[in-house]
Amino acid sequence: MPEGHTIHRAARDQRRGFVGVPLRVSSPQGRFVDGAAILNGQRLTAIGAYGKHLFYEWEQGELLHVHLGLFGKFRESVGTDVEARGAIRLRLTSPDTTLDLRGPTACELIDPAARERLMARLGPDPLQTDVDPEPFFARARRSRVAIGTLLLDQSAIAGVGNVFRAEALFVCGIAPEVESRTLSEVQLTELWKTIVEMLRAGVRSGRIVTVDPAEVGRPRSKMRRSERTYVYRRATCLRCGAGVAKTELAARNMFACPSCQPRL
């Protein structure tokens, strides 16, 4: 499932080519045909991202909500007569670019009240400007669940996925199985800051690179794939060389280094 940085980067990139101009809107697959008919010919006025959700605002007041889920993907193509291949739920066509959306969990028109209800179910998004992390800290202070589980709970913190939870916990030296409520304020603050930094770097680069370039001796842009993470999907820890423990936590594979992340 795409993590928060992918969603925010998509919103940023799509603003450049699709906001402010009349768009042709269609649903080649047919599953959003009624919504597409309502939006067709309108100008898109804004695109917002929060956690793993995208919100598209249109000139006549309509609000389109997109959640990619596990299988959703965008594909942008130059030109306006691109052949429709596969199950394209939504197609936006600007005067010179085509954007296709395939396989989303949600692609729906909603009203502002529905957006407010959705947002109320989400925790703070580390990529929002001037975000207050206190709701996440408060949730962690009283939670008996493992911190590795809490980080995937979108009602606690929005936008973190499987890669960033493993890598952020590693960088902070926190074992994923420890109860959230046992973490100190210093640890929670450091964890939040680490997640913010990792997600922002992901938005800038368009890829997940969590390793400090100084540790591998080359800039992020030139790192090999095997050098981009410390523990995620690795057999050995990039930092100390110990075997990486692979377990299941919150129904997802969890990767951690028992040496660098001891359970105290």
Side-chain angles (χ1 to χ4, degrees):
M1 179 183 293
E3 305 201 23
H5 74 292
T6 301
I7 304 306
H8 281 261
R9 186 179 175 89
R12 185 198 68 180
D13 293 347
Q14 291 170 21
R15 289 185 197 110
R16 295 169 179 167
F18 295 92
V19 169
V21 296
L23 300 177
R24 280 192 285 139
V25 184
S26 62
S27 180
Q29 178 193 55
R31 292 184 60 185
F32 187 63
V33 65
D34 291 341
I38 293 172
L39 302 177
N40 188 39
Q42 289 196 46
R43 293 176 187 270
L44 186 58
T45 59
I47 304 175
Y50 193 96
K52 299 181 180 182
H53 299 264
L54 284 159
F55 299 97
Y56 299 77
E57 299 178 17
W58 301 79
E59 62 178 331
Q60 294 181 16
E62 284 80 12
L63 181 61
L64 172 66
H65 167 232
V66 170
H67 179 52
L68 294 182
L70 285 173
F71 306 109
K73 291 182 180 179
F74 287 107
R75 180 172 182 177
E76 189 172 312
S77 305
V78 176
T80 61
D81 58 351
V82 180
E83 181 181 356
R85 295 182 177 180
I88 301 173
R89 183 79 57 84
L90 173 70
R91 168 169 282 191
L92 303 181
T93 307
S94 76
D96 55 15
T97 308
T98 299
L99 181 70
D100 288 333
L101 170 64
R102 292 177 171 85
T105 295
C107 175
E108 58 186 353
L109 292 178
I110 62 174
D111 58 30
R115 174 165 59 178
E116 290 303 314
R117 289 193 297 271
L118 190 159
M119 296 285 285
R121 297 196 299 266
L122 299 174
D125 177 354
L127 284 171
Q128 297 298 317
T129 302
D130 299 326
V131 61
D132 181 7
E134 180 55 31
F136 168 64
F137 294 164
R139 179 76 173 269
R141 290 188 200 108
R142 65 176 184 270
S143 179
R144 294 176 180 270
V145 306
I147 185 61
T149 297
L150 191 69
L151 289 179
L152 289 189
D153 185 341
Q154 299 301 296
S155 69
I157 180 170
V160 176
N162 210 29
V163 184
F164 283 120
R165 74 157 172 173
E167 293 294 294
L169 288 172
F170 172 84
V171 168
C172 295
I174 299 171
E177 301 86 0
V178 302
E179 286 189 10
S180 301
R181 64 177 184 160
T182 66
L183 297 180
S184 68
E185 292 298 310
V186 171
Q187 286 176 306
L188 287 173
T189 299
E190 182 62 22
L191 180 59
W192 175 269
K193 289 181 178 179
T194 300
I195 290 170
V196 169
E197 291 169 2
M198 287 183 174
L199 286 170
R200 286 179 177 172
V203 173
R204 290 194 299 269
S205 67
R207 62 178 65 178
I208 297 178
V209 180
T210 59
V211 173
D212 184 345
E215 295 191 51
V216 296
R218 67 178 114 253
R220 285 185 171 85
S221 61
K222 295 185 178 180
M223 284 185 188
R224 293 186 284 269
R225 185 178 295 274
S226 61
E227 298 171 330
R228 295 176 186 172
T229 58
Y230 289 105
V231 292
Y232 183 75
R233 287 190 175 176
R234 293 182 58 87
T236 59
C237 174
L238 184 69
R239 180 172 287 171
C240 76
V244 169
K246 178 183 175 181
T247 57
E248 186 174 292
L249 196 58
R252 303 290 298 279
N253 287 332
M254 182 73 221
F255 301 86
C257 174
S259 178
C260 297
Q261 299 165 264
R263 296 184 65 174
L264 302 178

